[in-house]
Amino acid sequence: DGGITQSPKYLFRKEGQNVTLSCEQNLNHDAMYWYRQDPGQGLRLIYYSQIVNDFQKGDIAEGYSVSREKKESFPLTVTSAQKNPTAFYLCASSENRDVNYGYTFGSGTRLTVV
Amino acid sequence: AQSVTQLDSQVPVFEEAPVELRCNYSSSVSVYLFWYVQYPNQGLQLLLKYLSGSTLVKGINGFEAEFNKSQTSFHLRKPSVHISDTAEYFCAVSAPLFSGGYNKLIFGAGTRLAVHP
C-alpha cells in the first residue's frame, strides 16, 4: 500500500544534540511538508518542498533544517539551536501543486528532550 | 490570502447525541475546504473535502459537512456520535490555482471532540 512512513515513532534527544527525523513516501507526490504540533496549538509549518532540490521555510523554521535530494524523501534535522524541541512532528505530502486532493499524513514522530 | 477559524476549541457531547463542529474561512476567491481527524498519537486522516458542486459533502465514519458560501462556513456534523469519535478535528482551506506556482493548505487550530458515555 502507498503511504508516508515516519521513523522513529519515538525519539529522545539529549541537550545539545542534533537529531534527524525520517519521512519517506511512495505515493509519487511532488510536494512534502513538515509540521510541529504542540498541545493546544494546532499545526505549525516548519518547512515545505514543492520539488526535488528545492525547499522553503515555513512559519517556525528556526532551529530546523531539511533536504530534498530525492522525490521520496524529506528528512528533518532538529538542531541544537532549537531551544524547545519537545513536540509531535508530522510529515505530509500532496499529489500536485493545486492540493485539490488534500494532504496525506504520516503517523508522526514524538520527540522528547531528556 | 486564506485563513480558517475553528470556533470551538473543545466540544463535549454524550454518546448517541448529534454534534456540530464549526469552521469559518476567509478568502477573496473560490476555495477548497477539508476536514481532517486526528486520533491520539497518530497522523491526520482526511474525513471529507469540498472542491465544487453539491454543497453537502459526505465523508467517512458518518460525518458530513455543508459548504455555505454566504456565511463562509464549512461546519462538520454527525447525527449520532460514538465513543470512538473522540479525537481532534481540523478544518483546512486552500484556493484553486489558475496559473503557475504552488499552493498549500491552511489549517485551523483544531477542535477536540470528547464523547462521554
Side-chain angles (χ1 to χ4, degrees), chain B residues 8-61:
Chain B
D8 306 293
S9 59
Q10 297 187 58
V11 173
V13 64
F14 287 109
E15 193 173 19
E16 298 184 5
V19 70
E20 178 180 83
L21 306 184
R22 297 181 294 166
C23 173
N24 283 92
Y25 69 91
S26 172
S27 177
S28 58
V29 297
S30 57
V31 293
Y32 299 142
L33 291 158
F34 304 81
W35 274 101
Y36 284 85
V37 61
Q38 184 182 32
Y39 300 104
N41 292 311
Q42 294 186 28
L44 278 68
Q45 178 184 1
L46 182 65
L47 271 179
L48 48 80
K49 64 183 178 184
Y50 170 79
L51 302 182
S52 64
S54 173
T55 58
L56 183 62
V57 181
K58 293 190 183 296
I60 62 172
N61 301 341

Side-chain angles (χ1 to χ4, degrees), chain A:
Chain A
D1 284 339
I4 296 183
T5 301
Q6 288 188 244
S7 62
K9 189 169 179 67
Y10 298 96
L11 185 58
F12 297 91
R13 191 194 94 167
K14 293 182 180 179
E15 296 278 356
Q17 266 187 341
N18 291 357
V19 291
T20 297
L21 283 59
S22 171
C23 178
E24 302 276 335
Q25 54 102 353
N26 61 1
L27 300 165
N28 200 33
H29 285 181
D30 289 321
M32 297 185 75
Y33 313 82
W34 273 107
Y35 287 90
R36 171 178 171 143
Q37 190 174 25
D38 297 281
Q41 294 198 43
L43 301 173
R44 292 187 288 169
L45 183 63
I46 304 172
Y47 269 98
Y48 62 101
S49 168
Q50 306 282 10
I51 55 173
V52 175
N53 292 321
D54 188 44
F55 49 83
Q56 284 78 40
K57 293 181 179 180
D59 302 318
I60 56 164
E62 186 174 351
Y64 300 97
S65 66
V66 293
S67 63
R68 186 89 187 275
E69 297 175 1
K70 299 186 300 181
K71 188 175 185 178
E72 304 78 19
S73 179
F74 192 41
L76 174 74
T77 296
V78 184
T79 75
S80 56
Q82 171 49 240
K83 297 307 178 188
N84 185 21
T86 294
F88 190 54
Y89 291 86
L90 286 163
C91 180
S93 68
S94 59
E95 178 164 344
N96 56 35
R97 63 185 182 89
D98 203 21
V99 299
N100 54 341
Y101 294 108
Y103 291 177
T104 300
F105 281 85
S107 57
T109 293
R110 185 165 298 281
L111 174 63
T112 304
V113 173
V114 295

Side-chain angles (χ1 to χ4, degrees), chain B residues 8 10-14 16-22 62-64 75-82 85 89 111-115:
Chain B
D8 306 293
Q10 297 187 58
V11 173
V13 64
F14 287 109
E16 298 184 5
V19 70
E20 178 180 83
L21 306 184
R22 297 181 294 166
F63 283 93
E64 63 181 32
H75 301 334
L76 181 70
R77 301 185 182 101
K78 187 170 183 178
S80 176
V81 294
H82 303 289
D85 292 321
Y89 292 79
T111 296
R112 186 168 298 277
L113 175 64
V115 182

